[in-house]
Amino acid sequence: MLELVKKNIHMNRWKGNATSQITLDDDFIVPDSMDDVEQIILSSGEITIDSVKNQAERVAVRGKMDFTILYRGTEGGLCTLGGSINFEEPINVPGLEEKDFVQISCELEDLNAGIINSRKSSVKAIITLQVKVETANDVEAAIEVDTKPASGDTPNVETLRKNVDVATIALRHKDTFRIKDSISLSGNKPNIDHILWSELKLRGVTTRPVDGKMMLDGDLMVFIIYQGEGENAPIQWIEESIPFSGEIEVSDVTEDMVPVVMVRLVHKDIEAKPDADGEMREADVDAVLELDMKLYKEEDMELLNDLYSTNRDLGLQTGEACFDKILTKNMSKCKIVEKITLDYADRILQICHSEGTVKIDETEVKEDGLHVEGVLEIKILYMTSDDTQPIQCAVEDIPFHFLIEAPGINQDTICQLNSSLEQLSAVMMGGGSIEVKATISLDLLALQPVCEQIITGVTDSPMDFNNLQKLPGIVGYIVQPGDSLWKIAKKFHTTVDTIMTTNGLTDSIVKPGDRLILVKEVS
């Protein structure tokens, strides 16, 4: 009898995705201890996902948006107002099962802080939630055949094998990385009375797997607006870049794995502190990065594609298995150089700070790769010559498009794209214009689904020699279109080696019109 040696292939298959857009809208009262609102200068928001629950064909997402508003009061000073808006959103995902793996990504599309009256502000935001669903898929495929004597016969089995490149998810892992550092004021800056506004942004983050570890490096951009110490002290700002590098222990990681890593700031805190002389001239920076790691492992797997016997009748049970193979892993850089002109540009004395957010609007698969279109939303904070409005902020959208090369890409390709801002600068030019230079990182992992016929079972029985005797012992054959030596050998009850030896062939490749002598084998 025959027995198949099988291998279990564990894969995660993309099951689908869904997108939901929600609107947040709330009003907030200015505390009695704070000045009346005259003008809103800056606003920012951070989204936190608290829980994600799989339900019957839907995902329940719960989270909040923390916001901060920097405004100029009626008395001319700057004040900071903060708060939170909670949300809970059910997202329909047809076919979702409780065992499926769900990944949520969120993007703050728009944040608008307005003035209702001097003691009341409105906060409106649009949030896009994207759900990506993967499901575990285990396939048993035959990789070898084991022959054992049955009824005195030892089956003479011919096997055809096929090599398949399979990309499986080797591991998923979440971990955190902490950055603690301090910033000192330069000698020409006054002491810190209190911090009015702070921003922490990641730039140029890269990850790299090594055996047992995930390496991480990048820059943490720090921007602080503070009230100087002393009566009538002017508003001051600090901008620093803190480089960081380190490693995270992940015991099962190997260097040959292909990583897809999402890195985001989940905690950030800046606090003024005294220096060695007791003066408030330092700021402690505490940031926590969350790494959501998914690592693929490529394996060259040899599967049984077909088999037959020259002395037994074999019955094959077949099925279809669909695998993912890595089509390309491409880290591209999109460079932007754009000149913009702001309203009242002639009043700008100095640019204090610029920060940007990358927003992908559309991706389209074409013959030459993945076409990406999006905008770089840039905020520019600047000093003006107007004493009543010394600090102003402008928001501009700079569109961009880029081609990520991906040979072989098609409509079935599964594209996992991560975008981030690597570099950004805004410099005053002549004529009241500002030159913006930016570098956007576009990290693409493209997976190509491939479906192959596999052998799932086999039965064998004694050969019907009456049928075998009807076949001619020797036959001349002209190769037809679509033929291969394997198909010819199986049809005429011989072997590929016998055909090659009989016909003096040194290569198993044949082409239509070739003439062959075929000799039937009987055991």
Side-chain angles (χ1 to χ4, degrees):
M1 63 179 180
L2 297 178
E3 287 187 1
L4 295 178
V5 180
K6 297 182 180 180
K7 181 173 182 177
N8 183 70
I9 306 170
H10 177 75
M11 295 170 293
N12 279 69
R13 299 285 299 161
W14 286 92
K15 196 170 187 178
N17 56 66
T19 302
S20 178
Q21 198 170 72
I22 58 177
T23 301
L24 305 181
D25 189 352
D26 208 346
D27 298 338
F28 293 87
I29 303 297
V30 178
D32 293 338
S33 59
M34 298 176 63
D35 194 5
D36 289 354
V37 180
E38 176 72 21
Q39 181 196 17
I40 292 176
I41 298 173
L42 277 173
S43 60
S44 69
E46 297 286 342
I47 304 170
T48 303
I49 301 297
D50 296 325
S51 67
V52 178
K53 292 183 179 179
N54 289 16
Q55 298 176 344
E57 294 202 328
R58 71 176 189 176
V59 176
V61 182
R62 181 179 296 173
K64 65 177 180 176
M65 183 194 72
D66 296 317
F67 69 87
T68 308
I69 298 171
L70 179 68
Y71 71 89
R72 182 170 55 84
T74 54
E75 296 182 5
L78 297 184
C79 301
T80 305
L81 175 67
S84 297
I85 303 177
N86 297 320
F87 63 86
E88 187 170 351
E89 179 75 1
I91 304 173
N92 293 325
V93 185
L96 178 69
E97 300 176 55
E98 191 173 339
K99 63 181 178 64
D100 292 339
F101 180 84
V102 173
Q103 183 181 33
I104 297 285
S105 60
C106 53
E107 185 173 344
L108 182 58
E109 296 286 351
D110 187 41
L111 175 64
N112 185 19
I115 302 173
I116 298 175
N117 56 53
S118 62
R119 303 302 301 171
K120 193 174 185 180
S121 295
S122 66
V123 176
K124 298 180 181 180
I126 298 175
I127 297 173
T128 298
L129 300 173
Q130 186 172 41
V131 179
K132 295 181 179 179
V133 181
E134 294 174 275
T135 188
N137 184 27
D138 288 285
V139 177
E140 278 202 337
I143 59 173
E144 188 55 85
V145 60
D146 183 19
T147 61
K148 295 181 180 179
S151 304
D153 291 339
T154 300
N156 295 331
V157 178
E158 297 295 313
T159 58
L160 179 66
R161 292 175 169 81
K162 185 167 188 176
N163 286 77
V164 180
D165 292 329
V166 178
T168 61
I169 296 179
L171 65 91
R172 295 180 185 271
H173 185 70
K174 277 189 178 183
D175 215 323
T176 57
F177 182 83
R178 191 160 203 156
I179 303 170
K180 289 180 70 71
D181 209 330
S182 61
I183 297 173
S184 299
L185 300 183
S186 59
N188 62 341
K189 295 281 187 181
N191 293 353
I192 301 171
D193 184 81
H194 60 279
I195 292 176
L196 294 164
W197 182 268
S198 62
E199 285 180 5
L200 295 180
K201 299 288 184 179
L202 294 174
R203 291 282 188 274
V205 178
T206 60
T207 56
R208 178 173 54 89
V210 298
D211 292 343
K213 298 173 183 177
M214 180 65 74
M215 309 302 293
L216 172 74
D217 60 65
D219 291 289
L220 182 66
M221 307 302 293
V222 182
F223 177 66
I224 299 171
I225 300 175
Y226 72 92
Q227 177 65 58
E229 198 176 66
E231 189 175 352
N232 298 322
I235 301 296
Q236 299 288 328
W237 68 90
I238 316 166
E239 191 164 25
E240 292 281 348
S241 173
I242 299 176
F244 63 86
S245 62
E247 58 189 41
I248 296 173
E249 297 288 335
V250 188
S251 58
D252 296 329
V253 167
T254 57
E255 192 170 346
D256 60 342
M257 290 181 180
V258 179
V260 177
V261 184
M262 298 285 291
V263 183
R264 64 188 187 98
L265 278 166
V266 293
H267 170 78
K268 43 192 175 183
D269 184 53
I270 298 178
E271 184 179 355
K273 71 167 188 177
D275 61 9
D277 298 326
E279 296 185 329
M280 301 297 286
R281 299 192 59 77
E282 291 189 358
D284 269 345
V285 178
D286 185 7
V288 178
L289 281 57
E290 180 186 74
L291 285 79
D292 189 349
M293 295 172 268
K294 180 167 61 175
L295 291 107
Y296 288 86
K297 191 172 183 65
E298 291 183 281
E299 184 176 354
D300 182 12
M301 191 173 299
E302 189 178 67
L303 304 178
L304 277 183
N305 195 38
D306 196 8
L307 69 154
Y308 68 92
S309 173
T310 57
N311 65 343
R312 305 283 290 177
D313 281 335
L314 304 185
L316 302 184
Q317 291 89 51
T318 61
E320 188 179 66
C322 292
F323 312 97
D324 289 334
K325 72 174 184 178
I326 295 178
L327 186 66
T328 186
K329 181 74 162 73
N330 193 336
M331 173 67 84
S332 301
K333 309 289 186 185
C334 173
K335 296 186 181 297
I336 295 175
V337 179
E338 189 81 16
K339 286 185 179 180
I340 59 176
T341 302
L342 305 182
D343 293 336
Y344 310 111
D346 55 328
R347 300 182 186 178
I348 298 176
L349 296 179
Q350 183 181 2
I351 294 176
C352 309
H353 172 63
S354 60
E355 60 117 334
T357 304
V358 180
K359 297 180 178 180
I360 304 297
D361 292 331
E362 184 180 0
T363 59
E364 183 180 2
V365 172
K366 294 189 177 180
E367 290 184 2
D368 47 359
L370 185 69
H371 287 238
V372 180
E373 290 191 4
V375 296
L376 173 63
E377 183 186 83
I378 180 171
K379 289 184 180 180
I380 299 176
L381 192 69
Y382 56 91
M383 300 289 293
T384 77
S385 58
D386 188 344
D387 292 338
T388 63
Q389 299 180 2
I391 296 181
Q392 294 295 308
C393 179
V395 180
E396 295 285 335
D397 286 341
I398 301 175
F400 69 88
H401 58 89
F402 191 79
L403 169 65
I404 304 176
E405 293 183 1
I409 195 171
N410 58 38
Q411 297 300 326
D412 296 326
T413 306
I414 299 164
C415 296
Q416 302 180 61
L417 178 65
N418 290 332
S419 59
S420 61
L421 184 60
E422 186 170 301
Q423 295 178 345
L424 175 66
S425 67
V427 180
M428 287 294 301
M429 305 293 288
S433 63
I434 297 174
E435 184 179 65
V436 176
K437 292 184 178 181
T439 302
I440 297 172
S441 293
L442 298 168
D443 187 6
L444 172 66
L445 174 65
L447 300 175
Q448 190 65 38
V450 177
C451 293
E452 298 284 352
Q453 178 179 288
I454 60 171
I455 297 174
T456 58
V458 62
T459 59
D460 73 300
S461 58
M463 177 164 286
D464 187 339
F465 283 99
N466 290 327
N467 288 334
L468 181 61
Q469 287 173 352
K470 295 177 182 178
L471 293 175
I474 300 177
V475 65
Y477 183 75
I478 299 175
V479 177
Q480 302 299 308
D483 275 347
S484 66
L485 281 191
W486 172 266
K487 291 180 180 179
I488 297 169
K490 185 177 181 180
K491 180 179 179 181
F492 287 92
H493 204 270
T494 183
T495 69
V496 171
D497 288 342
T498 299
I499 295 176
M500 293 182 66
T501 301
T502 303
N503 293 272
L505 301 178
T506 58
D507 194 328
S508 62
I509 303 298
V510 291
K511 59 183 182 294
D514 288 350
R515 298 175 181 271
L516 301 174
I517 299 296
L518 306 178
V519 180
K520 178 177 66 178
E521 286 202 1
V522 179
S523 300

